[in-house]
Amino acid sequence: MESNTASSDVQRYQVRKLEITDKNKGFMELLQQLTVCDPVTDEEFEKRFQELKTYGDDHVICVIEDVNLSKIVATGSVFIEKKFIRNCGKVGHIEDVVVDSSARGMQLGKKVAGFLADHARLTGCYKVILDCSDDNKAFYEKCGFKQKEIQMVKYFI
């Protein structure tokens, strides 16, 4: 019986790249659970979606859709920085990981982080990095990350 539940969860929660129709599936509302996220029009969403699409594998947004509800319940992104150091190496930067409050505790955040880290590895990155709050440190350690150094920020707005 346990394997049927696991199998039905795999079918229920689809891990994939962001699609243009995801705005209508609660994608922007989900981001509001992470940080300040002002409403965007359909036109603004489509313009940004098309812009990000031009970056190909250098900028990927992962979503998890609850197909039973047609709702985006988790997301995160990774962008690939091309460097001169490390033999012109590449570094993946993970950003904006969030799981809907109604779907937490089901390992969906771990699936998003894994999808994004795998993408970075498969595109030739020598490492993948992210910033997180102290509250999320233990979660990312469970995903295979370790603390290194200190984050600094300078806001312009």
Side-chain angles (χ1 to χ4, degrees), residues 18-141:
L18 181 73
E19 296 172 356
I20 192 74
T21 55
D22 289 337
K23 181 178 187 287
N24 298 324
K25 295 179 179 180
F27 177 72
M28 297 302 298
E29 292 79 5
L30 177 61
L31 290 176
Q32 290 172 347
Q33 293 183 39
L34 177 68
T35 189
V36 175
C37 184
D38 295 328
V40 298
T41 66
D42 289 348
E43 294 77 23
E44 290 169 326
F45 186 87
E46 183 171 353
K47 183 177 179 184
R48 180 53 46 97
F49 179 87
Q50 295 303 334
E51 177 188 354
L52 294 175
K53 196 172 171 183
T54 66
Y55 299 134
D57 283 341
D58 287 344
H59 191 262
V60 169
I61 299 173
C62 167
V63 297
I64 298 181
E65 179 181 356
D66 180 333
V67 294
N68 290 357
L69 301 174
S70 293
K71 180 181 178 184
I72 302 303
V73 293
T75 188
S77 65
V78 63
F79 69 91
I80 310 302
E81 175 189 10
K82 295 175 178 165
K83 305 180 80 69
F84 284 104
I85 63 171
R86 302 263 183 150
N87 296 314
C88 293
K90 297 190 277 186
V91 174
H93 295 261
I94 292 178
E95 291 282 340
D96 302 336
V97 175
V98 61
V99 176
D100 187 270
S101 58
S102 69
R104 292 183 186 152
M106 294 188 289
Q107 306 291 309
L108 300 181
K110 194 171 185 178
K111 284 184 182 5
V112 169
F115 180 98
L116 299 172
D118 285 347
H119 178 80
R121 182 179 47 79
L122 293 170
T123 56
C125 293
Y126 68 89
K127 69 178 179 179
V128 63
I129 60 178
L130 58 82
D131 296 323
C132 70
S133 67
D134 283 336
D135 291 344
N136 291 330
K137 181 182 170 206
F139 164 74
Y140 285 110
E141 286 173 341

